[in-house]
Amino acid sequence: MTTITTSLFLSLVLSCVLQVSSNGDAEILSRVKRSRLSDPDGKLNDWIITGDNRNPCNWTGIKCDSKNRSVTAIDLSGYGLSGGFPYEFCRVRTLVNITLSENNLNGTIDSAPLSLCSRIHVLILNENGFSGKLPEFSPEFRSLRVIELESNLFTGEIPESYGKLTSLRVLNLNGNSLGGIVPAFLGNLTELTRLELAYVRFEPGPIPSTFGSLTKLSYLRLTNSNLVGEIPDSIGNLIPESIGKLKSVYQLELYDNNLSGKLPESIGNLTAMRNFDVSQNNLTGELPEKIASLQLVSFNLNDNFFNGELPRVVALNPNLVEFKIFNNSFTGTLPRSFGKFSGVTEFDVSTNRFSGELPPYLCYMKKLERLISFGNRIKGEIPESYGECDSLNYIRTADNKLSGEVPVKVWELPLTRLELSNNQLQGSIPPSISNARNLSQLEISGNNFSGEIPGRICDLGELRVVDLSRNRFSGSLPSCINRLKNLERVEMQENMLDGEIPSSLSSCSKLTELKLSDNRLRGGIPPKLGELPVLNYLDLSNNQLSGEIPPELLKLKLNQFDVSDNRLSGKIPSGFQQDIFLRSFFGNPDLCAPDMDPIRPCRSKPEPRFVLVISVVCIVALIGALVWLFIKTKPLFQRKPKRTDKVTIFQRVGFTEEDAYPQLTEDNIIGSGGSGLVYRVTLKSGETLAVKKLWGGPGRKPESESVFRSEVEILGRVRHGNIVKLLMCCSGEEFRFLVYEFMENGSLGDVLHSEKEHRAVSTLDWTTRFSIALGAAQGLAYLHHDSVPAIVHRDVKSNNILLDHEMKPRVADFGLAKPLKREDNNSVSHVSPMSCVAGSYGYIAPEYGYTMRVNEKSDVYSFGVVLLELITGKRPNDSSFGENKDIVKYAMESALCYSSPSPGDKAMNQDSPGNFRDLSKLVDPKMELSRGEYEEVEKVLEIALLCTSSFPISRPTMRKVVELLKEKKPLE
Ligand SMILES: *[C@@H]1O[C@H](CO)[C@@H](O)[C@H](O)[C@H]1NC(C)=O
Ligand SMILES: *[C@@H]1O[C@H](CO)[C@@H](O)[C@H](O)[C@H]1NC(C)=O
Ligand SMILES: *[C@@H]1O[C@H](CO)[C@@H](O)[C@H](O)[C@H]1NC(C)=O
């Protein structure tokens, strides 16, 4: 009884006494512990006051000054404590450090009681459950050096009072759901050495230029902070030499900013670094030797203004896997020993000014997959050793000065693309090229290749693009060419080919371009060419073709047609008797047409008098015809607003805009979007089509104009089984419309998330979901890797994946899509600035929001979100994930839970029942999964998490995603 009264009395007195003994501190501490904290694990059981234990200095978590034994620091990290913030610890007058990280403390931190703590130097509360507004620190907190509040549930803006904490060295607010923008007043905190504001969900805003005054900063983390606009010039101050002190940096990602100047030499001190990416900046100068000698796994300097020679040491790095330095101005030769010491898989030195030869040991470790060296001045022969490189699947080394013969074994490699255009190579294509079974693009134009085109080339069923133009090939076109069912583009112009055009070409039904001009081809034009359903370009000019022009060619929808300078004869089919085709027929003296001056008319010259009569008759007839035409067309003019000016047809469709127009009624609307309405239109034939009507006519609304243009430009050109087909587009004065094949089952988004029971689908089973995932991935991989130029979709989401009657997916809606452009060449890994933030909420990759730039990896992220939708059946922003959590965060956390075994637990294989249980929380309860399917879901989940990695570099390419999905075995 007396002890209790004594201690109560004591604590009352202590609160107003300035000097307290450590005995008093013991009372304070143990009382606060009892009243404010719950200690389920009993970690603080030694916090008791007994006769011989009245000094807290040896209590768990307490530190005292070694001289006067006063309590200076409390560190209770990771003790499993719960309760509210223990303000009254601060009644211990000598206390300066409070660290309470990794506990379950919660509630708000209020400014009035917190003022008790105004003397403290350090406040570290990471990883707790504190909520409400960030704590306010009044000006009395003059000594505050460190505030760390990472991973709590604080909300609201950063209080202005933080701008006055001028002694602050460290401010870490990572992982809270703050609002507002990055406040400029933080620039007042000039003593800061570390500022961390990652993953805080600011509103989109710029990095304040005031941050330039933070000259002592050595660690700045602004990942995923919704930063937009350019990095202010002043930020250049932030990469001082001191950055090199961050010795433990593993990955330094500064890519896609506006960084200029030279790379600070001190980066070479970051010896633990493995991934280094400063691509897409305005960096200049030479690559410092010290940085080149870092043992990096991935080394990305692309898209800058670096110059000078590569330090030789760069090739001695035993870790190097990915080396991308394209689009710079490097000179000199490529170090010969590249690849000798490490398993380089991707080597992209394209668009520089390298001279000298290709490094002969590049595939020494048998790991090289992609060799990209176009656009340099590389000379010499293609090393014989490359022929032994079975891992190689992609070669682009156009626009160099390579000479000699291509090693026979290089032609036989399992390549998907072989691009050697515009060099000085010679020799012939060996028949053994038939071993290159995966070859899809063969581009070797502009060399001195000669000999015949081997018939064995017809074994390469994957060939899509064959460009042999501007060489000295002779002989005839192989007649087996009909076996190349995937051919899309054939360019063989400017060679010495003779023989006839094989009419079997007509079975290459995907052929869109056929250029055979400037050869010595003989015989007639095969009428069957008219059967090619999608041929747009046909150039047969400057050959020795004879016979009549087959009227069958009129069936083609030709954008370009040229048969000039041949020996064609007879009457030009009447459908071609139009001015736009005039030039197509020049240089064929034996062709005739009634009214196509200067092409001679077909009849022999009649008697002069007769001519006069005929002329009079003609004039009368002409006037009559005009009058008739006027009457006839009058109704057409009256419904002028509906008249279309321009119709472009991409695929044969049996209808005109007049058939469609009456059906564009409210009843037929099947969807609407920002750019217009989508209607379902049924033709007389019974065929159903989807028609998108865009608001306004040309020039009315710029957004809608650009949507129209990008759809037409991209879809008119792209053909792939998993990409929606644009059949036709019409552009009128007041409207434009786009006609697509109709997709029976609507969008994947509808099927997965629609409230009402979906028409055709009750539940999507896993097998169907998986094949949708794979199909969509293939469509995107095509856009990124095979389309020329490569295309980034920019709005990948479940609502833009349409499903046909067999649930086969088609990627749709290219209104925001953009080709990846570069000055003279196209390569998928290159990026282009985007004009405005595009994409849909929940699908936007973290980097997308602040860099204002887009690359194909942003699509990969969005695709990862779609995978997660397929697995969970939830929308990307489903409210059940909890506030401020999206599907990615949710899946990541769930995945972490189910894959973190207790230490030493070896039972982490697929059969572990624990895994099953936990994974099943994540998957859509509507699916019933077999054990085998569970494994597949697990694999797809891992792929989804790879795709949604915050760092674009860590995301796989779409081609890789397709591979991973197809692989049967689980991921490593
Ligand atoms: C603290 O010191 C006292 C003696 O001053 C001793 O009796 C007690 O066991 C010590 N406690 C711990 C946890 O070491
Ligand atoms: C308080 O924490 C800081 C930084 O963590 C440290 O440098 C300092 O030595 C600590 N002071 C005491 C008294 O423990
Ligand atoms: C704090 O956590 C406890 C459980 O540890 C809980 O009962 C209480 O409601 C929480 N308080 C707040 C404000 O979240």
Side-chain angles (χ1 to χ4, degrees):
M1 189 70 178
T2 40
T3 34
I4 295 172
T5 4
T6 324
S7 65
L8 250 177
F9 170 76
L10 257 176
S11 59
L12 279 172
V13 171
L14 286 181
S15 58
C16 36
V17 171
L18 281 172
Q19 293 294 322
V20 287
S21 68
S22 38
N23 279 5
D25 292 342
E27 303 287 344
I28 293 170
L29 294 171
S30 75
R31 181 169 49 84
V32 174
K33 183 209 136 186
R34 267 180 284 127
S35 62
R36 194 78 178 153
L37 299 177
S38 148
D39 174 24
D41 301 340
K43 296 278 189 190
L44 308 184
N45 280 351
D46 62 354
W47 283 31
I48 41 163
I49 304 170
T50 58
D52 55 354
N53 187 16
R54 306 190 63 85
N55 187 338
C57 292
N58 65 356
W59 291 2
T60 303
I62 306 292
K63 248 173 81 182
C64 293
D65 185 287
S66 57
K67 288 190 200 110
N68 65 13
R69 310 293 290 155
S70 59
V71 174
T72 53
I74 298 180
D75 181 352
L76 305 181
S77 298
Y79 289 164
L81 306 174
S82 55
F85 182 76
Y87 306 100
E88 298 200 315
F89 276 161
C90 296
R91 293 200 188 280
V92 175
R93 293 265 154 178
T94 47
L95 182 65
V96 288
N97 284 7
I98 303 179
T99 304
L100 304 171
S101 301
E102 299 168 64
N103 283 295
N104 304 316
L105 302 173
N106 66 2
T108 55
I109 299 180
D110 301 320
S111 57
L114 186 64
S115 61
L116 260 183
C117 300
S118 58
R119 289 173 315 265
I120 57 166
H121 297 175
V122 173
L123 180 66
I124 303 179
L125 305 176
N126 298 336
E127 297 183 57
N128 277 288
F130 290 113
S131 55
K133 295 236 163 82
L134 285 168
E136 287 272 0
F137 297 97
S138 62
E140 295 156 33
F141 282 82
R142 252 168 249 113
S143 323
L144 198 53
R145 306 238 166 80
V146 176
I147 302 177
E148 296 205 53
L149 306 174
E150 177 168 331
S151 297
N152 277 283
L153 304 168
F154 290 112
T155 52
E157 303 190 5
I158 299 179
E160 281 195 41
S161 61
Y162 284 43
K164 307 203 171 87
L165 301 172
T166 45
S167 308
L168 213 56
R169 313 281 205 273
V170 175
L171 178 61
N172 171 5
L173 303 177
N174 289 341
N176 285 285
S177 303
L178 309 178
I181 54 171
V182 185
F185 56 71
L186 294 181
N188 298 341
L189 306 182
T190 49
E191 293 298 312
L192 279 181
T193 55
R194 173 153 66 94
L195 175 59
E196 300 199 53
L197 300 171
Y199 301 94
V200 290
R201 299 192 181 244
F202 287 124
E203 285 155 24
I207 299 183
S209 59
T210 55
F211 277 27
S213 349
L214 304 177
T215 49
K216 297 194 175 162
L217 217 52
S218 63
Y219 193 108
L220 172 63
R221 198 163 162 220
L222 290 168
T223 318
N224 199 349
S225 295
N226 229 344
L227 300 170
V228 298
E230 302 205 334
I231 306 264
D233 283 342
S234 60
I235 214 82
N237 302 338
L238 289 184
I239 310 195
E241 286 288 312
S242 59
I243 200 167
K245 295 188 184 127
L246 309 173
K247 283 229 162 60
S248 58
V249 168
Y250 179 84
Q251 178 154 321
L252 186 58
E253 300 269 351
L254 298 171
Y255 73 88
D256 200 1
N257 285 302
N258 238 346
L259 305 171
S260 53
K262 298 186 176 181
L263 277 181
E265 183 99 36
S266 59
I267 288 178
N269 297 340
L270 305 177
T271 48
M273 185 156 65
R274 291 296 172 264
N275 300 332
F276 180 53
D277 191 344
V278 289
S279 58
Q280 301 165 58
N281 282 293
N282 299 322
L283 297 167
T284 49
E286 301 194 359
L287 174 61
E289 176 113 13
K290 208 164 159 193
I291 297 178
S293 36
L294 286 170
Q295 310 223 319
L296 298 169
V297 174
S298 76
F299 202 159
N300 294 348
L301 304 179
N302 52 279
D303 297 288
N304 279 292
F305 300 100
F306 289 112
N307 56 28
E309 300 203 8
L310 282 182
R312 306 280 104 178
V313 289
V314 78
L316 307 180
N317 167 6
N319 294 337
L320 195 63
V321 172
E322 192 180 280
F323 188 66
K324 294 189 185 173
I325 59 166
F326 55 85
N327 249 350
N328 279 291
S329 302
F330 285 113
T331 51
T333 61
L334 291 162
R336 253 182 87 76
S337 48
F338 250 126
K340 207 166 179 179
F341 304 102
S342 76
V344 175
T345 54
E346 177 148 10
F347 187 77
D348 191 342
V349 297
S350 57
T351 328
N352 275 290
R353 293 189 210 139
F354 287 114
S355 50
E357 304 194 354
L358 285 168
Y361 301 107
L362 209 47
C363 192
Y364 189 72
M365 302 271 191
K366 303 276 182 257
K367 290 278 166 50
L368 186 65
E369 292 172 16
R370 291 163 72 87
L371 166 63
I372 306 173
S373 52
F374 63 82
N376 280 290
R377 299 163 188 169
I378 300 172
K379 57 185 197 300
E381 303 198 352
I382 296 178
E384 204 70 44
S385 60
Y386 289 10
E388 308 295 332
C389 189
D390 291 334
S391 52
L392 195 54
N393 61 47
Y394 196 87
I395 298 181
R396 296 188 65 195
T397 184
D399 302 299
N400 278 295
K401 295 179 172 167
L402 295 169
S403 57
E405 296 203 4
V406 178
V408 171
K409 290 200 151 176
V410 167
W411 295 106
E412 299 169 2
L413 287 173
L415 300 173
T416 58
R417 184 168 189 182
L418 177 57
E419 189 205 61
L420 305 172
S421 304
N422 303 322
N423 280 287
Q424 292 145 24
L425 295 163
Q426 59 193 50
S428 56
I429 304 178
S432 57
I433 192 174
S434 62
N435 291 327
R437 294 279 167 176
N438 302 327
L439 197 61
S440 144
Q441 282 165 275
L442 174 63
E443 293 149 292
I444 57 170
S445 72
N447 281 289
N448 295 322
F449 290 115
S450 57
E452 298 205 358
I453 301 170
R456 295 298 301 276
I457 206 169
C458 302
D459 294 348
L460 303 178
E462 300 290 319
L463 268 183
R464 290 189 301 106
V465 175
V466 179
D467 186 352
L468 312 181
S469 61
R470 297 183 294 118
N471 277 293
R472 293 194 278 133
F473 287 109
S474 55
S476 54
L477 271 170
S479 58
C480 58
I481 197 159
N482 59 316
R483 285 166 51 204
L484 299 176
K485 297 288 184 228
N486 287 310
L487 271 189
E488 289 168 17
R489 178 154 64 90
V490 172
E491 297 198 43
M492 300 192 178
Q493 68 271 23
E494 295 182 58
N495 277 291
M496 299 185 297
L497 298 171
D498 53 23
E500 302 194 0
I501 299 174
S503 76
S504 62
L505 248 178
S506 62
S507 24
C508 301
S509 60
K510 295 182 181 170
L511 199 61
T512 59
E513 257 175 75
L514 179 60
K515 294 186 179 167
L516 301 173
S517 57
D518 303 287
N519 277 292
R520 299 167 185 173
L521 297 170
R522 283 173 283 116
I525 299 175
K528 290 188 90 177
L529 288 189
E531 290 169 15
L532 286 167
V534 292
L535 192 71
N536 293 143
Y537 292 87
L538 179 60
D539 189 351
L540 307 175
S541 60
N542 201 12
N543 277 291
Q544 292 156 27
L545 299 169
S546 54
E548 299 200 351
I549 293 170
E552 286 82 354
L553 295 187
L554 280 165
K555 285 190 279 185
L556 300 171
K557 313 286 185 234
L558 291 169
N559 289 340
Q560 198 194 46
F561 175 55
D562 197 347
V563 293
S564 60
D565 299 308
N566 275 291
R567 296 174 188 166
L568 297 164
S569 57
K571 190 176 164 202
I572 294 176
S574 54
F576 283 126
Q577 294 176 18
Q578 296 179 40
D579 277 353
I580 51 161
F581 288 121
L582 190 56
R583 291 187 166 276
S584 312
F585 301 108
F586 278 4
N588 289 284
D590 295 336
L591 280 179
C592 70
D595 197 14
M596 264 183 108
D597 192 52
I599 291 174
R600 82 184 164 80
C602 290
R603 274 186 223 113
S604 54
K605 282 194 175 162
E607 293 285 301
R609 200 160 11 113
F610 197 47
V611 172
L612 183 68
V613 174
I614 287 178
S615 305
V616 171
V617 171
C618 281
I619 287 164
V620 170
L622 189 66
I623 291 169
L626 277 176
V627 169
W628 178 80
L629 197 70
F630 181 71
I631 294 167
K632 180 95 167 102
T633 51
K634 210 169 169 218
L636 198 65
F637 292 130
Q638 276 166 352
R639 52 186 178 92
K640 196 174 171 192
K642 291 178 194 165
R643 194 173 63 94
T644 43
D645 296 337
K646 206 171 151 226
V647 178
T648 312
I649 296 171
F650 299 100
Q651 315 246 325
R652 252 185 295 180
V653 277
F655 89 118
T656 66
E657 70 275 19
E658 268 91 11
D659 295 332
Y661 203 76
Q663 295 197 50
L664 304 188
T665 63
E666 222 156 285
D667 291 343
N668 289 332
I669 293 179
I670 51 173
S672 73
S675 51
L677 294 169
V678 185
Y679 300 82
R680 177 196 178 115
V681 167
T682 311
L683 302 182
K684 290 195 197 84
S685 64
E687 196 184 345
T688 309
L689 300 170
V691 176
K692 185 195 272 182
K693 185 178 160 199
L694 296 152
W695 316 122
R700 291 281 162 114
K701 253 193 168 181
E703 315 90 85
S704 119
E705 180 61 24
S706 86
V707 166
F708 181 77
R709 278 224 222 109
S710 76
E711 286 263 348
V712 171
E713 276 165 22
I714 290 173
L715 283 180
R717 179 156 59 75
V718 167
R719 294 213 162 72
H720 185 272
N722 293 112
I723 295 184
V724 77
K725 282 196 185 66
L726 178 63
L727 304 174
M728 180 171 131
C729 67
C730 314
S731 173
E733 270 172 41
E734 301 212 335
F735 69 92
R736 273 89 39 90
F737 60 75
L738 299 158
V739 182
Y740 308 87
E741 51 182 353
F742 180 71
M743 292 286 118
E744 211 74 47
N745 280 313
S747 77
L748 175 62
D750 286 345
V751 174
L752 280 178
H753 310 305
S754 178
E755 300 289 297
K756 49 184 190 291
E757 278 297 291
H758 197 265
R759 237 176 331 110
V761 204
S762 48
T763 309
L764 226 41
D765 61 25
W766 175 249
T767 315
T768 314
R769 290 184 200 214
F770 182 80
S771 68
I772 291 171
L774 181 59
Q778 284 168 326
L780 289 171
Y782 174 84
L783 293 177
H784 290 178
H785 303 288
D786 300 319
S787 159
V788 180
I791 292 160
V792 196
H793 187 285
R794 303 211 300 166
D795 199 10
V796 175
K797 56 178 172 180
S798 57
N799 283 343
N800 284 341
I801 296 174
L802 305 182
L803 301 169
D804 72 3
H805 62 290
E806 290 174 321
M807 303 301 282
K808 188 178 153 191
R810 311 280 159 89
V811 178
D813 211 326
F814 286 71
L816 295 175
K818 280 221 160 57
L820 285 167
K821 284 207 187 86
R822 48 191 276 118
E823 279 132 48
D824 47 2
N825 246 305
N826 317 297
S827 170
V828 281
S829 29
H830 302 155
V831 297
S832 70
M834 53 194 255
S835 49
C836 60
V837 176
S840 299
Y841 188 54
Y843 295 91
I844 301 178
E847 75 276 9
Y848 210 98
Y850 56 85
T851 61
M852 299 294 285
R853 275 160 186 267
V854 52
N855 66 28
E856 76 278 15
K857 291 292 182 74
S858 325
D859 278 356
V860 176
Y861 180 93
S862 310
F863 178 74
V865 174
V866 173
L867 288 181
L868 292 175
E869 276 182 275
L870 283 166
I871 293 170
T872 61
K874 296 209 161 76
R875 289 179 203 275
N877 295 301
D878 194 290
S879 52
S880 73
F881 299 142
E883 206 182 69
N884 295 313
K885 228 188 246 180
D886 61 11
I887 199 165
V888 174
K889 220 169 164 190
Y890 169 76
M892 192 78 77
E893 285 174 11
S894 315
L896 283 179
C897 289
Y898 93 78
S899 68
S900 55
S902 50
D905 181 1
K906 286 257 153 55
M908 250 306 283
N909 58 42
Q910 312 301 313
D911 302 324
S912 153
N915 290 351
F916 264 80
R917 211 176 32 248
D918 286 335
L919 180 57
S920 69
K921 278 188 211 140
L922 190 74
V923 302
D924 190 346
K926 282 185 266 160
M927 286 190 290
E928 277 170 22
L929 298 181
S930 71
R931 181 165 276 240
E933 285 176 329
Y934 252 111
E935 285 175 19
E936 205 169 54
V937 172
E938 198 172 344
K939 190 185 76 175
V940 174
L941 175 63
E942 283 176 47
I943 298 172
L945 294 178
L946 277 179
C947 291
T948 52
S949 156
S950 327
F951 294 114
I953 189 181
S954 318
R955 296 176 206 148
T957 62
M958 274 323 292
R959 180 171 278 154
K960 187 76 191 168
V961 171
V962 171
E963 259 173 49
L964 292 174
L965 285 171
K966 279 182 171 170
E967 260 170 30
K968 284 281 175 280
K969 57 182 193 310
L971 300 188
E972 272 152 34

